[in-house]
Amino acid sequence: MFLNFIVKPYMIAYNAFQLYGWSIALFNFGKGIAASEFDVRASQWTGETAAYITFFQWLMLMEVVHPALGMVRGDPLTALLQVLSRIMVVILANVLGAPILQDGFWVNCVIFAWSLTEVIRYSSYIASLLDVKIYVLTWLRYTLFIGLYPMGVSGELGVFAGAIPFLERLENVKSIPSTYGGTQQWLVESGMYPFLLKIGWTGVIMMYVIGFPYLYLYMVMRRKSVLGGKKNKNGSKGGVSATKKTN
């Protein structure tokens, strides 16, 4: 009882904070695309949009901690696979900047897919924690992923495709131009540079070949269980448990 008294308010606050951040990112993306006259190749990984996505994506590491501590239902490994692949993209986008963002199509796919997915996901979590059932929100969460998830993965692979050949041509990692002044040291200090060079493009593809079907089928099964069409005792369709979040 005491733990529930602490955990539930914390989870509501955490999800509300994430909802705020991703909503700002999505709004800025829409504003930027409109300003570019809907040129999908004009990179929106700039300024406030990049800063918000970077911060809230790193914060998402807490979603590995939450299920590990039993605060929510879910598989920490599943959460870790999702978060790490995204953090790798964030680091590359911030560190390399122009060399991989000249054609902004792929990073724009990442921004749109991530932001819209998280706005819906965190809204659903908050509603669940507050014992508010909004079927439309639940339907959006377990339906839009069908297109948004492949879009996001395609965008991530596009970013890697632009980054790896560039990294392979470098003789000195310190010569990498950075949009965030000096943060190219992340490639050395975080182990990203030797890691990416070692596994190369083939390795990255294999990571997604193994991880994507597992995570996608997991969501498909969740969709079937939540939106299976069966009615509960109150006559409403589907639903999500309001006691603990499922990652």
Side-chain angles (χ1 to χ4, degrees), residues 103-116:
D103 182 350
F105 176 77
W106 297 115
V107 77
N108 286 344
C109 286
V110 166
I111 296 171
F112 178 72
W114 288 5
S115 299
L116 182 55

Side-chain angles (χ1 to χ4, degrees), residues 1 89 148 164 184 190 208 223 225 231:
M1 179 67 70
V89 171
L148 289 176
I164 290 178
Q184 61 265 33
S190 69
Y208 278 86
R223 184 180 193 275
S225 65
K231 295 186 178 182

Side-chain angles (χ1 to χ4, degrees), residues 128-207:
S128 177
L129 287 163
L130 295 174
D131 295 321
V132 176
K133 298 184 184 298
I134 305 175
Y135 179 74
V136 171
L137 189 58
T138 303
W139 184 88
L140 287 172
R141 180 186 172 194
Y142 290 101
T143 300
L144 293 188
F145 86 89
I146 295 172
L148 289 176
Y149 196 8
M151 177 189 292
V153 168
S154 298
E156 292 169 28
L157 288 172
V159 171
F160 281 119
I164 290 178
F166 177 76
L167 292 174
E168 289 176 342
R169 292 196 299 270
L170 291 176
E171 295 181 359
N172 185 351
V173 69
K174 294 182 180 179
S175 69
I176 299 176
S178 172
T179 57
Y180 279 69
T183 55
Q184 61 265 33
Q185 291 301 341
W186 263 106
L187 287 172
V188 177
E189 296 170 2
S190 69
M192 284 280 292
Y193 180 70
F195 173 72
L196 288 175
L197 287 186
K198 184 175 181 180
I199 66 174
W201 180 236
T202 301
V204 170
I205 289 289
M206 289 305 298
M207 286 170 56

Side-chain angles (χ1 to χ4, degrees), residues 14 18 60-67 79 121-122 245 247:
Y14 171 80
Q18 284 280 16
M60 206 177 286
L61 282 170
M62 292 303 299
E63 295 178 27
V64 181
V65 177
H66 295 158
R121 187 167 69 97
Y122 289 115
K245 183 177 87 174
N247 287 307

Side-chain angles (χ1 to χ4, degrees), residues 142 217-227 240 246:
Y142 290 101
L217 289 175
Y218 170 80
M219 286 300 297
V220 170
M221 289 187 292
R222 284 288 300 157
R223 184 180 193 275
K224 185 176 181 180
S225 65
V226 174
L227 302 179
V240 181
T246 302

